[in-house]
Amino acid sequence: MNAPQTGRMSFSLASTMESVDAVEAAVEKLAVEAGLDEDERFRVTMAVREAAVNAVLHGNEYDPAKHIAVSIENTGAALVFTVADQGKGLDPRTLPDPLAPENLLRGTGRGIFLIRSFMDEVHFRQLHPGTELTLVKNLAPGGEKT
Amino acid sequence: MSTLRIRSIGGGQEPVRISSGPGCLEPLRHIYRRKCYNGNTNKEEFFMALIIASREVDGVTVLDLSGRITLGEGSVQIRDAIRDLIAKGQKSILLDMGDVNYIDSSGLG
């Protein structure tokens, strides 16, 4: 997949880890072209990867009949990513706090926390069926990260 | 020269089989590779996702980890490696993560 320097691209991908890798590669390329430094590229790429993993693993549960829909966009003011699955839906208010003492040693439950930590905006939208996450990383006017 | 044990991790992942040479003495080594975009070279390249090398130091099994620990790649293999060691009775295990350059939420878990 090739990412645009500006503009928007959308993909419909199978519910596989290979799709997650493809999304990660496209996001990395978009982040490079947007002028993000290595640290910011790492944060953005990991955040979108976590969203894609959630869509494949928790949303679609690797169901070959379901797809994930991904869009990546450089608006000039921000990098905007959407990741949607066709799963049962997710209410973010029900997610346990990974920083709570009783959750510190849990093997899962940190993905959304990392996404929120690394991005400037995170929005959830309920689909029928599924969940769509929108992730935003603001850019400085010159294309540099704010 | 002996062939090192390599595990494939399934669909789309190409197992890499190498042979040990004079400078490669690790008795256990798992290597995974993945093709992804390299922002530094501006092209897609194969990356070694995770290498696990095992060695013994004064009764302690040291697992030298190198690469990425992510869902479906490193995290499961590390758990497997540790469970294998525990099943064999080894209770002194040290993870050397000095060469780990990427950990996702699954790897943290």
Side-chain angles (χ1 to χ4, degrees):
Chain A
M1 294 190 300
N2 295 317
Q5 192 159 5
T6 58
R8 184 174 189 270
M9 293 184 72
S10 300
F11 316 98
S12 178
L13 301 168
S15 300
T16 66
M17 290 308 297
E18 286 70 38
S19 297
V20 173
D21 290 342
V23 170
E24 181 180 5
V27 172
E28 172 79 12
K29 187 170 186 179
L30 183 77
V32 169
E33 292 175 347
L36 298 188
D37 63 27
E38 186 173 357
D39 287 345
E40 283 299 336
R41 291 203 307 267
F42 172 85
R43 296 185 184 104
V44 169
T45 303
M46 177 177 279
V48 182
R49 179 184 173 87
E50 292 286 347
V53 166
N54 283 347
V56 167
L57 177 63
H58 301 300
N60 290 350
E61 299 176 318
Y62 294 113
D63 186 342
K66 296 178 180 176
H67 289 76
I68 62 170
V70 178
S71 72
I72 62 176
E73 180 178 15
N74 183 348
T75 67
L79 301 184
V80 181
F81 309 93
T82 66
V83 179
D85 62 59
Q86 299 174 302
K88 300 172 184 172
L90 168 70
D91 182 351
R93 295 169 298 183
T94 65
L95 295 174
D97 176 8
L99 299 183
E102 65 272 21
N103 294 329
L104 291 179
L105 296 180
R106 285 185 55 174
T108 59
R110 298 175 180 84
I112 299 297
F113 174 80
L114 290 178
I115 291 170
R116 284 175 163 151
S117 299
F118 289 159
M119 302 301 283
D120 293 315
E121 296 177 36
V122 179
H123 305 285
F124 292 81
R125 186 164 72 98
Q126 298 308 312
L127 307 176
H128 302 286
T131 304
E132 180 186 79
L133 264 70
T134 300
L135 316 181
V136 179
K137 173 64 73 175
N138 294 326
L139 301 173
E144 194 175 326
K145 165 68 179 70
T146 56
Chain B
M1 178 178 292
S2 61
T3 300
L4 299 176
R5 184 156 67 99
I6 308 296
R7 283 186 191 172
S8 168
I9 61 171
Q13 299 288 339
E14 298 183 36
V16 181
R17 185 168 295 281
I18 62 175
S19 296
S20 60
C24 188
L25 303 177
E26 295 88 346
L28 171 65
R29 193 167 191 175
H30 303 301
I31 299 179
Y32 311 91
R33 71 176 186 173
R34 60 200 302 277
K35 192 175 186 181
C36 58
Y37 180 78
N38 183 347
N40 295 321
T41 62
N42 200 34
K43 59 184 180 182
E44 286 193 335
E45 298 175 353
F46 277 106
F47 285 85
M48 294 301 149
L50 177 68
I51 298 174
I52 305 175
S54 171
R55 56 192 167 93
E56 295 289 324
V57 180
D58 296 332
V60 177
T61 300
V62 180
L63 297 181
D64 295 306
L65 311 179
S66 176
R68 294 165 53 107
I69 305 175
T70 60
L71 180 72
E73 294 177 347
S75 60
V76 172
Q77 285 70 43
I78 292 172
R79 287 192 184 102
D80 286 350
I82 293 173
R83 283 173 178 153
D84 286 349
L85 291 170
I86 292 173
K88 293 173 184 171
Q90 177 57 275
K91 295 181 179 177
S92 299
I93 302 169
L94 175 67
L95 300 182
D96 181 351
M97 303 177 71
D99 289 327
V100 172
N101 53 30
Y102 189 102
I103 303 177
D104 72 358
S105 63
S106 175
L108 289 174

